[in-house]
Each structure stands twice: as structure tokens, then as C-alpha cells.
Amino acid sequence: MEVLGDLIMRPRPAWLVGCVLAQTLLLTSCTSDDNPASEPTASPTSTRRSTDAETEKKLTKEVQSALDDVTDQGSSMVESGVERVSEGVHTQPDLVEGATYKVSVVCAGKGDAEIVFTPTAAASKKPVVCDGTLVFQRFIAKDSLQIDVKGKSGATGMIAWRINEV
């Protein structure tokens, strides 16, 4: 024990103490942050994304509720979904050729969209205003039928859609 006590209590050269103090000061200054200007703030991009997500959530609830209020959700439902207006709806439902169906669409947001059938002989195009109003179109199933709901230029928001057998 005597030897350890001598090592600890032995005087150190001044340059060694200075080096240890300098390193301690450098480490402390690099890890401490007393500058309030460097506190993290939300960037406009992250704020916009969270606002966009909240808006999408709100509009999704609106369009789903509007669609549920006026359409039959019984056994006649074939397909349904919710999409962004900017992405549109694109489906090739598995339908019985020659049978009559109804596609119901609600769009909430800004701008306009339209329901488009391919082949066009199944039904004509139908305009959809993105104001939360339900629009529906009856059609007769054709072979390889595709239904699209396309947002027009500048349209934003959410689209809820459902296909029912009539």
C-alpha cells in the first residue's frame, strides 16, 4: 500500500497537468451547448409533411364517412378503397361479364377528377368535384374492364370509392 500511496502523492510535472487540463477543456467545449441559436427547430419540409399527413387523415375520414352514409356495404360490394387524388384510382375488378354494377366515388380536397372506363363502351366519363359530394355511375361489366378515377391538373385531396353489384 505504501508504494501506491507514493505514486499517487508524487508531484507531477506542470506540462503533464497542463496537457490533461487542455484535453478536458476541449472535450467539454465540444460536448456542451450553451448556444440557444443551435437548438433544433422544425424545418419547413417536416412541418409541411406532418400538416399534409394530418390533412390526408382528416380528408380520408370525410370521404369514407360520406361513402358509408349513402352506399350499401352488404354482400353486393365487390371492391373499395381510398386513394390520394394525385395517385388516382386504377382497378381491374373481377366482375361477371354482362352484369350491372355501380361505382360510387367521393372526393374531398381541391379541384376536380373524373371516372373513366376502359373500354369506353362500358359507361361514359363522369366528372367528380372534390367537394365531398357522392358521385356514382352504373355500368355493365365488359371483358377486361378497367376503372380509373383521375385527378385533373392541380387537384389534391383524397378519393374513396366502392364498386357494388346492382
Side-chain angles (χ1 to χ4, degrees), residues 1-10:
M1 266 319 223
E2 196 75 30
V3 173
L4 185 58
D6 287 342
L7 285 175
I8 295 173
M9 300 306 290
R10 182 182 301 159

Side-chain angles (χ1 to χ4, degrees), residues 35-158:
N35 185 358
S38 67
E39 290 182 19
T41 57
S43 69
T45 303
S46 66
T47 303
R48 186 176 65 241
R49 282 187 191 136
S50 67
T51 302
D52 289 348
E54 290 170 12
T55 301
E56 280 185 5
K57 218 182 239 187
K58 178 182 169 256
L59 292 175
T60 297
K61 285 180 183 178
E62 284 180 29
V63 293
Q64 283 179 326
S65 177
L67 192 62
D68 290 344
D69 286 347
V70 293
T71 59
D72 177 24
Q73 296 180 41
S75 61
S76 68
M77 186 187 76
V78 177
E79 283 186 0
S80 68
V82 177
E83 312 293 339
R84 290 182 184 94
V85 174
S86 60
E87 295 172 2
V89 175
H90 312 285
T91 184
Q92 286 186 300
D94 187 21
L95 305 174
V96 176
E97 190 169 350
T100 303
Y101 294 87
K102 176 174 78 170
V103 62
S104 303
V105 177
V106 178
C107 181
K110 295 179 183 174
D112 298 314
E114 67 181 350
I115 304 169
V116 179
F117 295 86
T118 306
T120 56
S124 58
K125 289 181 181 180
K126 182 90 172 192
V128 179
V129 179
C130 292
D131 63 358
T133 304
L134 176 80
V135 174
F136 70 90
Q137 178 71 35
R138 290 179 188 265
F139 62 95
I140 297 174
K142 304 284 183 193
D143 187 38
S144 301
L145 176 73
Q146 179 163 333
I147 301 172
D148 297 300
V149 182
K150 300 176 181 181
K152 295 195 176 182
S153 180
T156 61
M158 300 300 287

Side-chain angles (χ1 to χ4, degrees), residues 9-20:
M9 300 306 290
R10 182 182 301 159
R12 306 269 188 296
W15 65 271
L16 182 59
V17 174
C19 287
V20 171

